[in-house]
């Protein structure tokens, strides 16, 4: 599934827990081989192209199209800094969040998390219900969340993703 994480950002700052590979959206061109536990920055240049660099590095990679960021180890997680959540609500906040799977970044610096449905549910259930609640309640929440996901898959198809990470679809906080 494809989950919207951020829309129309000026920049994206992240780090991976494992080495990672950045490819063009079609997967045909390797853009960058990244190192674990180093901060990276994606911005837009004046032409609207993506510019990616290690945070302290003066050498930057410029890309004309959307990119996919994939961990070299499937157990790896990406930490994205300053993710906004709860837009226009009293509980809105900004925090660092970690995600499984692949991250897609488009030229508008829109960020989509691409992962399988079960991994998506790992990030929904504890976001919808406290993880310390009774085990049977969590099981029921998992069934309800899965059913709701199947019903809502493709809800934002015209926007390029299946689900938003907000309560409109289901709250999704990634790894946490």
């Amino acid at each position: 599934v494809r989950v919207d994480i951020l829309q129309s950002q000026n920049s994206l700052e992240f780090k991976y827990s494992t080495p990672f590979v950045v490819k063009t959206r079609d997967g045909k061109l390797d853009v960058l081989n990244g190192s674990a536990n180093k901060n990276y920055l994606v911005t837009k240049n004046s032409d609207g192209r993506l510019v990616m660099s290690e945070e302290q590095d003066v050498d930057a990679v410029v890309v004309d199209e959307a990119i996919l960021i994939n961990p070299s180890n499937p157990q790896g997680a990406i930490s994205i800094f300053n993710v906004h959540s709860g837009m226009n609500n009293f509980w809105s906040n900004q925090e660092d969040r970690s995600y499984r799977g692949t991250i897609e970044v488009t030229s508008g610096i829109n960020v989509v998390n691409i992962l399988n449905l079960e991994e998506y549910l790992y990030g929904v259930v504890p976001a919808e219900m406290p993880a310390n609640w009774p085990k049977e309640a969590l099981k029921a929440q998992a069934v309800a969340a899965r059913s709701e996901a199947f019903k809502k898959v493709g809800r934002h198809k015209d926007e390029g993703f299946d689900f938003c990470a907000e309560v409109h679809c289901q709250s999704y906080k990634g790894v946490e």
Side-chain angles (χ1 to χ4, degrees), residues 4 6-11 44 106 108-111:
D4 174 53
L6 295 168
Q7 288 288 316
S8 303
Q9 299 296 298
N10 292 322
S11 64
K44 298 179 280 191
T106 64
I109 306 196
N110 300 321
V111 180

Side-chain angles (χ1 to χ4, degrees), residues 88-109:
N88 303 320
N89 292 295
F90 71 89
W91 68 83
S92 68
N93 69 353
Q94 187 173 329
E95 62 188 0
D96 301 343
R97 290 195 175 164
S98 297
Y99 300 95
R100 298 171 182 85
T102 297
I103 297 295
E104 178 183 64
V105 183
T106 64
S107 60
I109 306 196

Side-chain angles (χ1 to χ4, degrees), residues 31-103:
V31 175
L32 176 77
N33 289 313
S35 301
N37 300 313
K38 290 188 178 182
N39 289 8
Y40 287 83
L41 185 64
V42 179
T43 58
K44 298 179 280 191
N45 68 11
S46 59
D47 299 335
R49 295 167 32 182
L50 294 175
V51 178
M52 184 171 175
S53 64
E54 190 177 327
E55 192 174 49
Q56 302 301 320
D57 195 357
V58 293
D59 294 326
V61 176
V62 179
V63 184
D64 291 325
E65 58 187 283
I67 56 173
L68 297 175
I69 308 171
N70 296 297
S72 298
N73 178 340
Q75 302 304 316
I78 186 172
S79 295
I80 298 178
F81 305 112
N82 301 314
V83 176
H84 300 277
S85 65
M87 293 299 178
N88 303 320
N89 292 295
F90 71 89
W91 68 83
S92 68
N93 69 353
Q94 187 173 329
E95 62 188 0
D96 301 343
R97 290 195 175 164
S98 297
Y99 300 95
R100 298 171 182 85
T102 297
I103 297 295

